[in-house]
Amino acid sequence: MSELKRVKGRLRTAESVTEGHPDKVCDQIADAILDEILRQDPTAHSAIEVMASTGIVFVMGELSTSADVDINAIVRRTIQQIGYTDAPSGIDYENCAIIQTIREQSPDIAQGVGHSEEARAGEADTLSAEGAGDQGIVFGYASDETPELMPMPIMLAHQLAKRLAKVRKEGIIANLRPDGKTQVSIEYDEDDRPKRVDAILISTQHGPGMDQKQLKEDLWDHVVKETVDPRMIDSETRFYVNPTGKFEIGGPNGDTGLTGRKLIVDTYGGMAHHGGGSFSGKDASKVDRSGAYYARYVAKNIVAAGLARRCEVAVAYAIGRAQPFSLGVNTFGTGAMDDAALLDLVKEVFDFRPGSIIQNLGLTKPIYQHTASYGHFGRTDHKYPWEETDKVEQLKALAAER
């Protein structure tokens, strides 16, 4: 009998990566640059992309700002903070080459962002004067299966990855290096509730000569047992470590990194749709970021209000327009009212115009570098405005009137 045939329920799997993963190195650099720009110029427009490979980092994109930032210094500081201190570890923060190619934002885009179509037609108030910085489709999601109102597979994967980084930084497990990945499979019962952990995978970069058997024991004792509820683990839970046999070459030295290539890690682990737009390096005029944050805020408030067990909010924007191109709500049959009625309620409570989102969530503040690893949603280690549930009572009251 195969391992999978033993599972009676439905399996859902999600992955996470540590801050030393090459793609996440790039995301953190892009958001570190964005944060420094916003400290000096909260009205800046930014679309920064980063690529990293063996001994080299490329910083590319568009900027419209009065800020004067030392990009090279930010790149080196970020790499050092992650833990890459020499070439064998993955990249040498002091001696890596840095190539910049940054230009000013297109005036065609700037025109639509600064003055929406509605504003030019005299139909808009000040909140909607800022149009969407591009067309885009974004999704927000929430589920009642964890205290963070997130899917359990992605939350556990993030928690394992954070714990893996902690045991490396504190020397609890010796000879670890920054690159790492986690993956978790959860079995769900017939009521679509998490039942048990079916499998855990940890791949972690390490120095030469690591005893893989001892490493597996150490990771179980110091990472898995410190993270996963023991009631979710049973005798059939599978545990894998570095399945290829070793993981010595990592970071940008082992794999080219690029911003925006861990979109599912950044969001809901595949439990919700994704519009394809990335977050890091983008200011809040880019609805790929601000719209996705707001959609999460709406979905989380709906679930927190008890109006659904699961909720996905879908929003589409057109460049230069403030009002959404389309708006939808899907509760997957778990809603306290039908989705059409809930959508009417959402339209009454929430304002999806980019200018309003930026103002209401305070998105011109330099808050982004920390979001660039371990997910943008469900965070409890920092206080992010899109994780607030301050609309719950209003939603409950309006729902009671229906």
Side-chain angles (χ1 to χ4, degrees):
M1 181 183 294
S2 72
E3 292 176 325
L4 288 179
K5 285 183 179 178
R6 294 201 308 264
V7 179
K8 296 180 180 179
R10 178 181 177 182
L11 288 180
R12 295 191 177 107
T13 303
E15 70 162 350
S16 183
V17 298
T18 64
E19 64 258 40
H21 186 281
D23 294 331
K24 279 290 143 202
V25 170
C26 295
D27 285 339
Q28 289 167 92
I29 290 171
D31 274 338
I33 293 169
L34 173 63
D35 278 354
E36 185 53 39
I37 290 167
L38 292 176
R39 284 187 188 95
Q40 299 182 36
D41 178 12
T43 65
H45 292 302
S46 168
I48 296 295
E49 305 288 352
V50 179
M51 182 170 68
S53 190
T54 304
I56 191 167
V57 176
F58 296 86
V59 181
M60 304 156 283
E62 297 79 47
L63 274 177
S64 294
T65 181
S66 60
D68 182 14
V69 300
D70 187 341
I71 288 177
N72 282 17
I74 295 171
V75 170
R76 297 189 192 283
R77 182 174 67 244
T78 304
I79 294 172
Q80 181 187 24
Q81 289 171 345
I82 291 168
Y84 287 122
T85 56
D86 53 36
S89 69
I91 191 168
D92 184 345
Y93 81 95
E94 287 187 296
N95 297 308
C96 65
I98 301 172
I99 296 177
Q100 300 181 37
T101 171
I102 296 175
R103 60 191 180 279
E104 190 173 358
Q105 182 185 52
S106 163
D108 297 342
I109 295 175
Q111 175 177 298
V113 173
H115 301 284
S116 67
E117 180 182 343
E118 296 95 324
R120 294 194 296 275
E123 301 170 359
D125 59 30
T126 55
L127 278 181
S128 62
E130 183 165 315
D134 200 351
Q135 72 179 49
I137 306 164
V138 297
F139 296 88
Y141 182 81
S143 168
D144 69 354
E145 61 195 71
T146 66
E148 300 86 0
L149 301 187
M150 286 284 287
M152 183 174 286
I154 190 66
M155 287 307 300
L156 274 183
H158 284 323
Q159 289 162 5
L160 287 165
K162 289 176 72 174
R163 179 66 187 176
L164 177 60
K166 181 179 177 67
V167 300
R168 169 182 64 86
K169 293 174 182 177
E170 296 183 0
I172 295 171
I173 300 178
N175 207 24
L176 297 186
R177 287 178 172 173
D179 199 353
K181 303 176 82 171
T182 62
Q183 190 166 287
V184 179
S185 292
I186 302 291
E187 181 182 349
Y188 284 69
D189 65 18
E190 59 275 8
D191 295 321
D192 209 27
R193 297 284 190 181
K195 179 181 179 181
R196 57 180 289 274
V197 175
D198 181 68
I200 297 170
L201 167 62
I202 299 177
S203 294
T204 180
Q205 186 191 10
H206 55 79
M210 197 76 164
D211 183 325
Q212 297 295 315
K213 184 171 184 264
Q214 183 62 52
L215 176 60
K216 185 174 182 178
E217 292 176 4
D218 289 343
L219 290 172
W220 180 263
D221 289 339
H222 298 294
V223 176
V224 176
K225 289 174 69 174
E226 294 292 326
T227 303
V228 182
D229 185 340
R231 295 172 295 181
M232 294 291 289
I233 296 174
D234 58 31
S235 60
E236 294 189 338
T237 298
R238 295 168 290 150
F239 181 48
Y240 305 99
V241 170
N242 291 347
T244 65
K246 66 176 182 177
F247 185 3
E248 294 181 7
I249 300 172
N253 192 33
D255 186 19
T256 297
L258 188 65
T259 42
R261 206 160 56 180
K262 284 290 173 282
L263 305 181
I264 302 304
V265 172
D266 285 342
T267 52
Y268 307 101
M271 291 284 277
H273 291 91
H274 198 294
S278 63
F279 300 151
S280 293
K282 296 179 179 178
D283 73 276
S285 70
K286 312 298 188 292
V287 291
D288 285 336
R289 181 166 222 162
S290 56
Y293 287 177
Y294 200 68
R296 160 64 177 172
Y297 171 67
V298 175
K300 186 175 183 181
N301 273 272
I302 289 170
V303 173
L307 299 181
R309 280 179 47 200
R310 296 170 58 203
C311 181
E312 181 182 79
V313 175
V315 194
Y317 289 94
I319 188 169
R321 285 194 59 83
Q323 291 290 350
F325 195 73
S326 67
L327 178 63
V329 174
N330 184 2
T331 61
F332 308 94
T334 70
M337 60 178 67
D338 65 60
D339 289 349
L342 186 56
L343 178 59
D344 288 339
L345 195 140
V346 164
K347 289 177 180 178
E348 187 172 343
V349 174
F350 298 98
D351 187 346
F352 287 84
R353 295 173 297 175
S356 174
I357 293 172
I358 292 168
Q359 182 180 81
N360 291 335
L361 296 186
L363 298 183
T364 60
K365 299 175 182 177
I367 57 175
Y368 297 107
Q369 183 180 357
H370 189 262
T371 67
S373 53
Y374 310 117
H376 294 248
F377 307 121
R379 303 296 292 262
T380 58
D381 47 359
H382 274 59
K383 188 176 176 64
Y384 289 118
W386 53 88
E387 292 297 318
E388 295 295 322
T389 52
D390 53 350
K391 299 294 185 181
V392 164
E393 295 307 318
Q394 186 179 1
L395 286 168
K396 285 180 177 180
L398 288 172
E401 296 173 1
R402 296 297 193 266

